[in-house]
């Protein structure tokens, strides 16, 4: 089974775009918002509890939505996978989802994010209230609360999934609904090709990752070589384009091995004050093909031309914490 997350603020167009993708890739579309609205309409106990929170623009408890998600995973067996819309919405839900999938021997395959500005959220929700009559779209105070809830609780997921090398972003204002759909299908095609090619690490695979890096606002893309998030090692291919910015960071639990497969780039070492201490140029005619970055060493990468590296570290992956970034 494949597990995709359709991410974005309220009004980004997730529900509008989900149909085309789920049909093309035979995915079961799960919208937690729609499921909750169905519970309210049916007058169930769960619906009664959720209504007040939804009408105020707040989130319902994690356990409620997680129960609905797991039920749906258990119910649909004849699909190629699931397209999650509106879930996860908090870091807690994201980590619970990782655990839920790990128990099934599965993982999140990719996150496709549709981004729009706050002002656009407001306009779209007001417009949607006129058409659909949703109480949580209707008044300005509720809308502002949903925008605040999004920034505070949901936006941190972007970093979570970026660090996992699973995040792909689309500009939700790049044109009309059809233009956004085309952009989404393009990203999906790229991801789908990648997922098909998990055994041979060849030029065709690198070219696919390279295309996704070009489409990414971060100008780089990871290709994860692990079996699951619980793996006791970290192994990945990283395609980086000139202009990509990597924070000065360190890994406190492991040294890191970086081998250059294509291109030219520098690994730069810093002291605790962020002063550059050593610059190792890799590629070109230097004869330097890799570096072993000691545990705890502050470092970053500067890319001179499109570069592809293989990176490896000990221990399971976890997101970089603030004290490990300068
Ligand atoms: P949506 O249709 O995705 O905009 O969801 C409508 C409302 O349902 C949200 O504002 C929340 O109150 C609730 N909701 C939907 N999904 C979740 C979730 N994953 N976690 C908590 N609350 C949710």
């Amino acid at each position: 089974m494949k597990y995709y997350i359709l991410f974005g603020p309220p009004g980004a167009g997730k529900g509008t775009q989900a149909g085309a993708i789920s049909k093309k890739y035979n995915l079961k579309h799960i919208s937690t918002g729609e499921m909750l609205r169905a519970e309210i309409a049916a007058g169930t106990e769960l619906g009664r509890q959720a209504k007040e929170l939804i009408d105020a623009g707040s989130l319902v408890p994690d356990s409620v939505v997680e129960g609905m998600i797991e039920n749906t995973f258990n119910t649909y067996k004849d699909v190629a996978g699931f397209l999650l819309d509106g879930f996860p919405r908090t870091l807690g839900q994201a980590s619970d989802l990782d655990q839920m999938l790990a128990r099934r021997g599965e993982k999140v395959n990719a996150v496709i994010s549709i981004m729009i500005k706050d002002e656009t959220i407001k306009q779209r929700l007001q417009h949607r209230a006129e058409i659909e009559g949703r109480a949580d779209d209707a008044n300005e105070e509720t809308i502002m609360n949903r925008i605040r809830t999004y920034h505070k609780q949901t936006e941190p997921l972007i970093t979570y999934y970026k660090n996992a090398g699973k995040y792909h972003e689309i500009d939700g204002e790049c044109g009309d609904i059809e233009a956004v759909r085309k952009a989404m299908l393009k990203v999906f095609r790229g991801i789908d090709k990648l997922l098909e090619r998990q055994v041979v690490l060849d030029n065709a695979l690198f070219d696919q990752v390279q295309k996704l890096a070009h489409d990414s606002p971060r100008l780089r893309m990871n290709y994860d070589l692990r079996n699951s998030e619980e793996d006791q090692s970290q192994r990945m291919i990283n395609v980086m384009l000139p202009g990509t910015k990597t924070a000065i960071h360190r890994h406190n639990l492991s040294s890191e091995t970086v081998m250059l497969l294509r291109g030219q780039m520098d690994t730069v070492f810093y002291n605790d004050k962020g002063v550059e201490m050593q610059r190792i140029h890799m590629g070109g005619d230097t004869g330097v093909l890799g570096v072993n970055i000691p545990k705890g060493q502050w470092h970053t990468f500067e890319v001179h031309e499109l570069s592809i590296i293989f990176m490896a570290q000990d221990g399971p992956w976890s997101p970089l914490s603030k004290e490990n970034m300068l």
Side-chain angles (χ1 to χ4, degrees), residues 10 31-34 36-37 53-54 57-60 65 85-89 93 128 134 136 146:
S31 158
T32 41
E34 261 171 35
L36 289 166
R37 283 188 288 280
L53 290 162
I54 294 178
S58 306
L59 297 184
V60 306
V65 278
D85 158 6
F87 178 89
R89 244 176 164 105
Q93 289 179 11
R128 189 163 71 182
R134 270 175 62 171
D136 58 341
R146 291 177 72 192

Side-chain angles (χ1 to χ4, degrees), residues 25-320:
Y25 291 97
N26 184 25
L27 305 171
K28 168 69 187 157
H29 171 213
I30 313 181
S31 158
T32 41
E34 261 171 35
M35 289 167 107
L36 289 166
R37 283 188 288 280
E39 296 280 343
I40 294 173
T44 65
E45 179 56 28
L46 194 156
R48 277 203 303 113
Q49 287 169 10
K51 185 172 183 339
E52 212 171 298
L53 290 162
I54 294 178
D55 286 352
S58 306
L59 297 184
V60 306
D62 291 352
S63 57
V64 172
V65 278
E66 285 167 17
M68 297 192 315
I69 290 282
E70 194 150 27
N71 274 342
T72 315
F73 288 166
N74 289 337
T75 307
Y76 290 85
K77 308 279 184 205
D78 295 338
V79 288
F82 296 91
L83 183 62
L84 304 181
D85 158 6
F87 178 89
R89 244 176 164 105
T90 63
L91 282 172
Q93 289 179 11
S95 122
D96 290 346
L97 174 65
D98 283 344
Q99 284 168 31
M100 195 192 293
L101 292 179
R103 284 197 297 275
R104 311 168 85 86
E106 306 273 13
K107 62 180 179 180
V108 170
N109 293 103
V111 177
I112 298 90
S113 166
I114 312 179
M115 272 304 132
I116 57 170
K117 295 192 284 287
D118 284 1
E119 191 45 43
T120 314
I121 303 179
K122 218 169 120 186
Q123 284 166 9
R124 289 197 185 168
L125 295 193
Q126 278 164 342
H127 180 64
R128 189 163 71 182
E130 287 164 20
I131 299 169
E132 294 178 16
R134 270 175 62 171
D136 58 341
D137 285 343
N139 83 49
E140 178 142 359
E141 202 183 318
T142 310
I143 292 177
M144 294 319 286
N145 194 30
R146 291 177 72 192
I147 295 177
R148 273 194 300 275
T149 305
Y150 166 75
H151 286 300
K152 191 156 170 256
Q153 305 205 54
T154 308
E155 207 170 31
L157 293 182
I158 297 179
T159 308
Y160 183 85
Y161 287 116
K162 270 184 185 169
N163 285 338
K166 293 181 176 168
Y167 184 81
H168 307 269
E169 191 171 296
I170 292 155
D171 176 5
E173 300 184 57
C174 66
D176 58 7
I177 291 178
E178 198 46 44
V180 175
R181 178 163 305 150
K182 278 202 179 126
M184 265 192 72
L185 285 168
K186 184 170 167 222
V187 169
F188 251 87
R189 266 196 305 278
I191 296 167
D192 204 50
K193 282 205 181 130
L194 265 187
L195 296 177
E196 276 170 19
R197 315 185 48 89
Q198 300 199 326
V199 180
V200 181
L201 307 180
D202 58 2
N203 283 330
L205 171 77
F206 297 159
D207 290 343
Q208 279 304 324
V209 185
Q210 198 169 308
K211 271 194 203 135
L212 290 167
H214 274 290
D215 288 338
S216 158
R218 299 172 84 213
L219 300 174
R220 65 174 179 274
M221 188 53 65
N222 287 345
Y223 179 73
D224 199 349
L225 297 166
R226 296 170 305 164
N227 303 305
S228 87
E229 236 105 284
E230 273 67 46
D231 270 16
Q232 295 302 307
S233 70
Q234 295 167 63
R235 299 162 278 144
M236 69 182 83
I237 305 288
N238 203 337
V239 175
M240 297 192 279
L241 305 180
T244 188
K245 296 256 177 308
T246 312
I248 300 176
H249 65 285
R250 63 182 176 191
H251 304 288
N252 260 339
L253 300 174
S254 167
S255 57
E256 177 178 15
T257 305
V258 175
M259 292 301 301
L260 187 72
L261 304 175
R262 272 190 202 168
Q264 277 197 65
M265 56 183 274
D266 291 350
T267 301
V268 191
F269 288 168
Y270 298 85
N271 68 11
D272 285 343
K273 298 198 168 61
V275 177
E276 182 176 326
M277 303 303 285
Q278 191 181 357
R279 178 174 287 264
I280 303 161
H281 187 61
M282 301 190 286
D285 54 11
T286 59
V288 180
L289 295 176
V291 286
N292 222 4
I293 302 166
K295 184 157 83 174
Q297 171 64 55
W298 292 109
H299 66 280
T300 187
F301 303 108
E302 287 179 19
V303 176
H304 301 298
E305 60 186 57
L306 184 144
S307 296
I308 305 184
I309 54 178
F310 168 77
M311 301 165 97
Q313 281 183 65
D314 299 338
W317 175 84
S318 64
L320 268 181

